[in-house]
Amino acid sequence: MTPILLIPGLICTAELFVPQLPALWTHGPVTVASTLEGETMAHMAAAVLRDAPPRFALGGLSMGGYVALEILRQAPDRVVRLALMDTTARPDAPEQSRLRRAMIEKAVSGGYDDVLAQTIPNLVHPSRRDDAELIGTQTRMGRSVGVEGFVRQQTAIMNRIDSRPFLSAIAAPTLALVGDKDALTPPDRAQEMADAIPDARLVVVPECGHISTLERPEAVNAALVQWLSA
């Protein structure tokens, strides 16, 4: 069986993938990488690779997708399969970076809980913005990452490169998955990656926002099992 390596997104921990473990563990041992080391995508990817199995199926959500693409650049022969979930190959737009810098300033000034409260509702489908369990999970993960981790991750995200020119060179069987109402990395970003990566498969999850693994785990699990079995 092939080891499976999952990489969480910004202000997320291994809890992001808890609903996937029962579905994936029969296909290979599952590891969730730490994203708490490194201030650039290159450093973060190198840290993940240092502790990763020799070869593995790789999945990343949001920022985890940015790290996954950097891993493909650094060690393409180690990646057997690739799942890019609720992410994009594009670099940060100027307006996105401006908002990130404002959030960093507020977080380091003692307003990190306010940053979480403002950010988290935008991660989920509009119909679930009052879902106490879902919001509580995301808040718990954000507090676990902490201010220092938040600043490090945001800095890496702002400075990431444009991965689009690299997509056509990806040889690993690839899944591009996205929630249909993902406001942060909308479906057209997943379509763009699926069109550029040879033989990639696109899955759009209905009634789902950005954190698809927690919002619609059944649909995500079905897509991931098919990805591992193809």
Side-chain angles (χ1 to χ4, degrees), residues 6-104:
L6 302 173
I7 308 178
L10 173 70
I11 58 169
C12 290
T13 68
E15 195 170 0
L16 181 69
F17 298 114
V18 166
Q20 281 63 61
L21 298 182
L24 299 186
W25 75 274
T26 57
H27 296 269
V30 183
T31 303
V32 179
S34 170
T35 55
L36 297 180
E37 183 178 342
E39 295 184 355
T40 68
M41 286 299 156
H43 291 156
M44 202 177 291
V48 172
L49 280 166
R50 182 193 63 216
D51 300 326
R55 300 185 79 227
F56 48 87
L58 178 63
L61 188 145
S62 193
M63 183 192 73
Y66 312 153
V67 180
L69 288 169
E70 179 59 34
I71 286 173
L72 260 292
R73 280 188 286 273
Q74 293 186 19
D77 293 341
R78 294 178 63 181
V79 179
V80 177
R81 297 179 183 276
L82 177 65
L84 298 169
M85 297 174 279
D86 298 283
T87 191
T88 178
R90 298 186 181 191
D92 228 33
E95 177 62 17
Q96 291 174 309
S97 293
R98 186 190 69 78
L99 292 172
R100 293 188 201 281
R101 285 191 290 269
M103 287 190 287
I104 288 172

Side-chain angles (χ1 to χ4, degrees):
M1 293 192 293
T2 302
I4 302 161
L5 179 63
L6 302 173
I7 308 178
L10 173 70
I11 58 169
C12 290
T13 68
E15 195 170 0
L16 181 69
F17 298 114
V18 166
Q20 281 63 61
L21 298 182
L24 299 186
W25 75 274
T26 57
H27 296 269
V30 183
T31 303
V32 179
S34 170
T35 55
L36 297 180
E37 183 178 342
E39 295 184 355
T40 68
M41 286 299 156
H43 291 156
M44 202 177 291
V48 172
L49 280 166
R50 182 193 63 216
D51 300 326
R55 300 185 79 227
F56 48 87
L58 178 63
L61 188 145
S62 193
M63 183 192 73
Y66 312 153
V67 180
L69 288 169
E70 179 59 34
I71 286 173
L72 260 292
R73 280 188 286 273
Q74 293 186 19
D77 293 341
R78 294 178 63 181
V79 179
V80 177
R81 297 179 183 276
L82 177 65
L84 298 169
M85 297 174 279
D86 298 283
T87 191
T88 178
R90 298 186 181 191
D92 228 33
E95 177 62 17
Q96 291 174 309
S97 293
R98 186 190 69 78
L99 292 172
R100 293 188 201 281
R101 285 191 290 269
M103 287 190 287
I104 288 172
E105 182 177 352
K106 188 170 187 177
V108 299
S109 299
Y112 185 50
D113 278 352
D114 290 339
V115 170
L116 294 179
Q118 293 167 9
T119 302
I120 289 170
N122 294 323
L123 300 177
V124 300
H125 189 274
S127 68
R128 305 193 72 178
R129 287 178 180 165
D130 295 323
D131 187 322
E133 182 176 358
L134 192 59
I135 299 302
T137 298
Q138 188 66 54
T139 302
R140 185 166 57 248
M141 290 194 293
R143 288 175 176 163
S144 180
V145 169
V147 175
E148 183 180 341
F150 173 76
V151 172
R152 189 183 304 113
Q153 291 176 355
Q154 289 282 34
T155 301
I157 289 171
M158 285 190 290
N159 294 321
R160 73 188 189 275
I161 68 172
D162 188 343
S163 291
R164 287 174 292 180
F166 165 74
L167 295 178
S168 62
I170 295 176
T174 299
L175 167 68
L177 180 145
V178 65
D180 66 343
K181 298 298 182 183
D182 185 337
L184 300 183
T185 53
D188 67 318
R189 304 298 193 265
Q191 182 72 64
E192 180 177 62
M193 294 187 294
D195 288 344
I197 299 171
D199 301 319
R201 175 172 174 251
L202 175 68
V203 172
V204 180
V205 181
E207 299 182 25
C208 185
H210 188 63
I211 50 172
S212 57
T213 53
L214 295 177
E215 289 186 76
R216 299 297 175 194
E218 296 85 359
V220 172
N221 291 353
L224 289 175
V225 167
Q226 183 173 355
W227 164 68
L228 290 168
S229 304

